[in-house]
Amino acid sequence: QSALTQPASVSGSPGQSITISCTATSSDVVSHNLISWYQQHPGKAPKVMIYDVIKRPSGVSNRFSGSKSGNTASLTISGLQAEDEADYYCCSNAGSGIWVFGGGTKLTV
Amino acid sequence: QVQLQESGPGLVKPSETLSLTCSVSGGSISGYYWSWIRQPPGKGLEWIGYIFYSGSSNSNPSLKSRVTISLDTSTNQFSLNLRSLTGADTAVYYCARYYCSTDGTCHYFDYWGQGILVTVSS
């Protein structure tokens, strides 16, 4: 069982906003605020969309945003587009050189 | 542009050892942290471990007893050895680079290989 829990699936219509949660079983897992989010299309390698909870790498659309409250990090996608349909994974640098991924969330647009 | 490419066998027998290599091009392996991540068919991502160019490494506690990660700066490659394979080790194996700040804090995986499917079966 992953130390980071995500919903198995979420869905939304084009133009709408959705939020994917990522809840840690222990505060230690997310206490460093080194949480990142990855988008993965079928048959492709993951691509980072958010890092350090709220930061966007260069080139990532500002429709993607991140936040955190307590032990739960969240990824929000606004103005949903068909191309956003993918699997999304949260990931945390849990300290002591250990990294963990969430179980993944399938987004259907 | 940094590129990573995994190579190794696509089929390995149970109880044997898997050896994979990640070749890095378009940049030096020195100065960076490198990682292996895997994804069983239809399932989520699992972090396997990392190695720093200096040779220091760490791995997932659930795999630690079976994993060795090594690095060769002369060939710009790093490798994964996973011992005592079972069907549960069937997965797409990715190599990836960490983006780390100058204080040594690593933030995310910025470059990924395309992945290699490894099937464990007799």
Side-chain angles (χ1 to χ4, degrees), chain A residues 34-36 38 40 43-48 50-52 57 89 91 93 96-103, chain B residues 37 39 43-47 50 58-61 64 94 98-99 105-110 112-115:
Chain A
L34 295 170
I35 297 165
S36 48
Y38 298 84
Q40 186 181 36
K44 301 294 186 182
K47 172 190 174 185
V48 64
I50 295 289
Y51 71 98
D52 290 0
Y89 295 90
C91 179
N93 180 340
S96 301
I98 301 296
W99 291 67
V100 292
F101 283 96
Chain B
I37 295 156
Q39 184 171 35
K43 296 187 178 180
L45 300 168
E46 180 181 31
W47 177 76
Y50 77 80
N58 200 0
S59 54
N60 191 320
K64 203 174 190 75
Y94 294 100
Y98 286 91
Y99 171 83
T105 301
C106 292
H107 299 265
Y108 61 92
F109 304 101
D110 59 352
W112 295 67
Q114 64 185 26

Side-chain angles (χ1 to χ4, degrees), chain A residues 22-33:
Chain A
C22 171
T23 301
T25 55
S26 162
S27 61
D28 291 348
V29 176
V30 294
S31 62
H32 301 275
N33 287 326

Side-chain angles (χ1 to χ4, degrees), chain B residues 23-42:
Chain B
S23 299
V24 179
S25 60
S28 175
I29 203 169
S30 296
Y32 292 94
Y33 286 80
W34 305 90
S35 184
W36 288 98
I37 295 156
R38 70 180 182 179
Q39 184 171 35

Side-chain angles (χ1 to χ4, degrees), chain B residues 26-108:
Chain B
S28 175
I29 203 169
S30 296
Y32 292 94
Y33 286 80
W34 305 90
S35 184
W36 288 98
I37 295 156
R38 70 180 182 179
Q39 184 171 35
K43 296 187 178 180
L45 300 168
E46 180 181 31
W47 177 76
I48 298 172
Y50 77 80
I51 188 164
F52 190 40
Y53 81 102
S54 66
S56 64
S57 64
N58 200 0
S59 54
N60 191 320
S62 68
L63 300 170
K64 203 174 190 75
S65 63
R66 299 194 292 131
V67 166
T68 301
I69 300 176
S70 58
L71 178 147
D72 188 341
T73 55
S74 66
T75 59
N76 235 34
Q77 295 176 327
F78 65 104
S79 300
L80 168 70
N81 273 12
L82 181 62
R83 298 175 289 279
S84 304
L85 294 172
T86 71
D89 295 310
T90 294
V92 174
Y93 286 76
Y94 294 100
C95 57
R97 191 185 81 169
Y98 286 91
Y99 171 83
C100 305
S101 46
T102 53
D103 67 355
T105 301
C106 292
H107 299 265
Y108 61 92

